[in-house]
């Protein structure tokens, strides 16, 4: 039976991987909405290629260009923040949330409110909204499937088991491209060095997050909300080969791990086909060629992000939304050459120290905390 699918962030790395898989099964899918921020030409090309019903640019200023590229196609064009939310509220059978940053929160919440299935790559949305999002999932009977490779691995390792039997959930981290750099060298890391991930090909923001370990910090918070075992049972281990994507240890001493190639099409396919399986074009694992799997404890002196994330979870309230917003501002400033690499974690820590909002209870309150944390982080954008 054909299912409808909408992809928010269709022009990005996760969007491309998802459309690659969808394009291999045209009989399975009818594409409802595809969205971008402002890459209008690319969005229009994808919308035509996949026969989307509507294409939406978040930046309304890019709508005339989108309209021009879609002229004569019969595909609806829309623009602006509300158009994004309206497109999500159409309630496709499966919505892939793959916008980068808290910008994806409102449309993701709209898709959840439609009560269908949401495949979540946009970790910043869950980190910021936390219980506001998980409560909405319960209230609207939606299904949230994790796309993030670690959370998808955990989801798979939990299948058929009782979460009450979990002793420890271990998130693996590649450690990123700067894993072995001493602190003095980290200060001078350039954007090109930080985004050169050894295993994964990803968008710029998550690549910097991998280099700072904020990606793992965000994932720690994401796991805290997706898998309610308590933060004390969540661990992080550095595993540079990115072969084991995460593990669940049970109280009887059994540890289940999910392994696979470092290709996001594998976890995306697991959400597209869930609860079944589908073929992918991914190269299977060749364990003899890989040879060795190694593991290290994270170094939180050089990479304080995972400590800050754990502290934000313990602090509760709006701390996770503050951490996320400050990190988004700092990463953008680092990518534009405004601040040094090591300033990213310093700015996040400083904003967390000075701003402890009460727990946001609604989407609007989450967005208000996010906005205030951004404002405070922006005032700190001076070189170290
Ligand atoms: P990309 O930067 O490659 O793509 C981001 C997408 O979001 C693009 O379609 C972009 O549109 C759109 N976008 C950017 N800003 C806005 C905005 N303000 N409003 C609406 N849309 C916007 O990111 P990735 O695909 O790498 O990552 C997407 C999400 O998935 C992130 O949350 C990331 O953490 C998560 N993720 C990514 C993984 C990966 O392998 N890439 C792995 C696991 C999780 P435009 O092209 O017009 O700029």
């Amino acid at each position: 039976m054909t299912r409808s699918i909408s992809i928010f962030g269709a022009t990005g790395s996760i969007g491309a991987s998802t459309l690659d898989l969808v394009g291999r099964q045209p009989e399975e899918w009818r594409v409802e909405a595809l969205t971008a921020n402002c890459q209008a030409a690319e969005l229009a090309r994808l919308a035509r290629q996949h026969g989307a019903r509507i294409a939406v640019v978040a930046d309304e200023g890019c709508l005339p260009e989108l309209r021009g590229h879609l002229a004569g196609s019969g595909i609806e064009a829309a623009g602006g923040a509300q158009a994004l939310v309206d497109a999500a509220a159409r309630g496709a059978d499966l919505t892939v949330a793959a916008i980068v940053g808290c910008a994806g929160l409102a449309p993701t919440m709209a898709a959840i409110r439609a009560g269908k299935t949401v495949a979540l790559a946009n970790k910043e949305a869950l980190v910021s909204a936390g219980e506001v999002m998980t409560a909405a999932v319960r209230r609207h009977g939606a299904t949230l499937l994790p796309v993030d490779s670690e959370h998808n691995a955990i989801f798979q390792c939990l299948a058929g088991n009782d979460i009450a039997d979990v002793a420890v959930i271990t998130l693996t981290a590649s450690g990123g491209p700067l894993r072995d750099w001493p602190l003095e060298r980290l200060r001078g890391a350039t954007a090109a060095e930080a985004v050169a991930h050894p295993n994964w090909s990803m968008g710029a923001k998550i690549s910097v997050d991998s280099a700072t370990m904020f990606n793992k910090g965000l994932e720690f918070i994401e796991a805290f909300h997706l898998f309610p075992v308590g933060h004390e049972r969540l661990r992080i281990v550095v595993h540079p080969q990115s072969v084991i994507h995460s593990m669940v240890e049970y109280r009887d001493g059994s540890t289940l791990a999910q392994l696979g190639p470092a290709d996001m099409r594998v976890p995306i396919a697991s959400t597209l086909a869930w609860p079944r399986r589908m073929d992918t074009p991914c190269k299977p694992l060749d364990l003899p060629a890989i040879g060795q799997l190694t593991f290290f404890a994270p170094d939180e002196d050089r990479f304080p992000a995972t400590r800050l994330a754990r502290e934000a979870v313990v602090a509760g309230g709006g701390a996770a939304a503050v951490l996320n917003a400050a990190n988004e501002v700092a990463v953008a400033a680092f990518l534009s050459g405004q601040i040094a690499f090591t300033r990213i974690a310093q700015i996040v820590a400083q904003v967390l120290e000075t701003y402890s909002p009460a727990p946001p209870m609604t989407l609007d309150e989450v967005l208000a905390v996010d906005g205030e944390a951004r404002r405070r982080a922006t005032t700190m954008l001076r070189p170290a």
Side-chain angles (χ1 to χ4, degrees), residues 7-17 35-40 42-43 56-59 62 84 97-104 107 120-125 147-150 200-207 209 215 218-219 222 263-264 267-268:
I7 304 171
F8 285 73
T11 50
S13 165
I14 293 288
S17 294
T35 84
N37 187 28
C38 194
Q39 281 205 68
E42 176 62 4
L43 179 63
V56 186
V57 277
D59 183 338
C62 307
L84 216 55
I99 289 175
V100 61
C102 196
L120 184 80
N122 180 203
K123 62 191 86 184
E124 297 93 343
V147 169
D148 225 343
S149 59
E150 295 76 1
W200 299 94
S201 161
M202 309 181 285
K205 194 261 176 182
I206 184 175
S207 297
D209 284 345
N215 185 46
L218 297 173
E219 289 178 5
E222 186 184 8
D263 186 328
M264 282 307 293
I268 292 168

Side-chain angles (χ1 to χ4, degrees), residues 78-280:
Q82 186 57 44
L84 216 55
V85 168
D86 292 344
R90 288 176 170 226
D93 296 319
L94 179 66
T95 296
V96 180
I99 289 175
V100 61
C102 196
L105 175 55
T108 302
M109 288 293 286
I112 288 169
R113 287 182 184 135
K116 300 284 178 54
T117 302
V118 176
L120 184 80
N122 180 203
K123 62 191 86 184
E124 297 93 343
L126 177 56
V127 166
S128 301
E131 278 129 39
V132 172
M133 183 180 287
T134 52
V137 169
R138 287 192 297 275
R139 195 164 54 247
H140 297 281
T143 302
L144 201 56
L145 299 175
V147 169
D148 225 343
S149 59
E150 295 76 1
H151 305 74
N152 187 269
I154 295 163
F155 184 74
Q156 295 195 42
C157 294
L158 286 171
N161 289 282
D162 187 339
I163 198 154
D165 289 329
V166 170
V168 172
I169 291 177
T170 301
L171 295 157
T172 54
S174 70
L178 314 181
R179 179 174 61 89
D180 295 325
W181 287 31
L183 193 53
E184 312 73 60
R185 195 173 165 210
L186 282 178
R187 284 195 189 98
T190 65
E193 288 165 334
V195 300
H197 199 282
N199 307 338
W200 299 94
S201 161
M202 309 181 285
K205 194 261 176 182
I206 184 175
S207 297
V208 175
D209 284 345
S210 285
T212 58
M213 292 286 281
F214 267 109
N215 185 46
K216 215 48 57 181
L218 297 173
E219 289 178 5
F220 183 91
I221 302 170
E222 186 184 8
F224 174 75
H225 292 295
L226 287 174
F227 312 115
V229 296
H231 64 84
E232 311 84 355
R233 290 175 193 263
L234 296 175
R235 308 270 157 79
I236 294 170
V237 67
V238 177
H239 165 48
Q241 295 82 14
S242 299
V243 169
I244 296 180
H245 297 302
S246 278
M247 302 171 244
V248 178
E249 181 189 329
Y250 288 93
R251 64 193 176 108
D252 60 4
S254 288
T255 296
L256 302 189
Q258 188 264 352
L259 287 70
D263 186 328
M264 282 307 293
R265 290 177 298 182
V266 175
I268 292 168
S270 111
T271 64
L272 292 181
W274 183 83
R276 291 186 292 278
R277 298 278 178 178
M278 62 181 277
D279 293 336
T280 71

Side-chain angles (χ1 to χ4, degrees), residues 11-30:
T11 50
S13 165
I14 293 288
S17 294
T18 308
L19 282 170
D20 176 74
L21 294 172
V22 167
R24 290 167 195 271
Q25 296 185 313
E27 66 295 344
E28 301 264 336
W29 298 104
R30 181 183 63 68

